[in-house]
Amino acid sequence: MIVAMRVSVAMAAYHGEAYIEAQLASILPQLGPQDEVIVSDDCPGGETERLVRHMAEQDKRIRYVEGPGRGVLANFEHAISLCGGDVIFLSDQDDIWQPGKANKVKEAIANGALLVLHDACVTDAGLHPVEPSFFDTHGSRPGFWHNLLRNSFMGCCMAFRRELCGAILPFPADIPMHDQWIGLIATRVGRVTFLKEPLLLYRRHGGNVTGGGASFAVRLRWRWRLAIHLRERFARLDQAEES
């Protein structure tokens, strides 16, 4: 069943010229004429801008904007803030959407999900499978405490209702990444649905802007800061509900 809702895709770009055309080509056939792709480019003036602007001339659903130039967290925040759709999909610049991804996610949202997270097939740079299921390899499952300690929320596999923006924005400047922040808040305020179907080819090529490794000590500090900011944000949301 095709669900009627306007879709926005928030894509953060940074030196994405190697793969961004293929990524956009996998997304656009799944969108309707009223949908949009916001490409926020954190390194404007280069080949990524040229390629995206050229594609935008051919397809008006693509909107190129200059990013804030403050890193991936602020770049995603910028892209999300410009989205006007009922549902916001997050997108990296170098993956491939599998056919049917948009409709399957929209169906889950129409069935009551505030946020949807789907599985992915991890590949190398040439799209040869390395891990058939990201969920299986990384033990992904729902639950606030599980995902605070071991994050399942991978932004390129996420989509959420627009009304979640009021709870997640603005992003605290010193959290490790946007996706865990979004997923944990959605878990607290609404229903999160996990789809166990790999609807994305998650390309790992050594130059990815998101998904990098970190030491245990660094991850521990990240989670401590994240927990503090979550407590503050939840207090603010609770106060807003009471007023």
Side-chain angles (χ1 to χ4, degrees):
M1 179 181 67
I2 298 177
V3 179
M5 54 182 69
R6 187 174 183 231
V7 166
S8 292
V9 180
M11 181 184 293
Y14 181 80
H15 290 299
E17 54 268 18
Y19 303 112
I20 199 167
E21 286 183 289
Q23 169 68 311
L24 287 168
S26 76
I27 293 172
L28 291 168
Q30 302 192 39
L31 304 184
Q34 79 284 2
D35 298 336
E36 63 180 0
V37 182
I38 306 294
V39 180
S40 181
D41 182 7
D42 237 9
C43 189
E47 187 66 7
T48 298
E49 177 174 357
R50 187 192 69 78
L51 290 171
V52 175
R53 286 196 183 278
H54 176 73
M55 293 188 74
E57 291 175 358
Q58 312 301 317
D59 193 320
K60 299 304 181 185
R61 294 173 298 178
I62 301 173
R63 179 182 171 193
Y64 175 91
V65 296
E66 293 189 4
R70 300 195 307 272
V72 63
L73 186 73
N75 200 17
F76 265 111
E77 181 179 42
H78 184 238
I80 291 168
S81 71
L82 296 174
C83 290
D86 306 307
V87 179
I88 298 172
F89 285 72
L90 302 185
S91 174
D92 291 342
Q93 63 191 7
D94 38 21
D95 303 319
I96 297 291
W97 283 25
Q98 294 285 62
K101 165 182 156 99
N103 281 338
K104 290 174 182 177
V105 170
K106 286 193 293 180
E107 286 180 16
I109 287 178
N111 287 328
L114 176 64
L115 181 144
V116 175
L117 181 76
H118 63 73
D119 202 356
C121 173
V122 183
T123 77
D124 62 15
L127 298 178
H128 304 107
V130 176
E131 300 172 11
S133 169
F134 183 91
F135 278 9
D136 289 348
T137 302
H138 297 271
S140 302
R141 60 180 173 85
F144 180 87
W145 294 109
H146 172 80
N147 286 294
L148 179 62
L149 297 174
R150 185 175 182 178
N151 182 40
S152 300
F153 293 106
M154 190 162 60
C156 57
C157 297
M158 289 169 54
F160 50 87
R161 291 180 179 270
R162 179 178 175 79
E163 50 261 38
L164 184 60
C165 290
I168 63 175
L169 298 178
F171 296 156
D174 60 344
I175 59 174
M177 193 53 67
H178 62 288
D179 42 15
Q180 188 177 20
W181 170 258
I182 295 170
L184 289 171
I185 291 179
T187 298
R188 166 69 161 70
V189 303
R191 185 202 299 177
V192 172
T193 295
F194 277 52
L195 297 179
K196 296 181 180 180
E197 184 176 352
L199 301 176
L200 182 90
L201 299 181
Y202 179 44
R203 193 194 311 251
R204 305 301 295 158
H205 50 78
N208 301 72
V209 176
T210 60
S215 70
F216 175 77
V218 169
R219 294 198 303 270
L220 193 62
R221 288 196 299 271
W222 282 349
R223 277 155 179 75
W224 176 251
R225 291 201 306 267
L226 179 63
I228 291 172
H229 284 300
L230 285 168
R231 184 180 65 179
E232 293 172 350
R233 185 60 55 92
F234 292 155
R236 193 193 79 180
L237 294 173
D238 290 341
Q239 186 177 30
E241 286 183 2
E242 294 171 359
S243 62

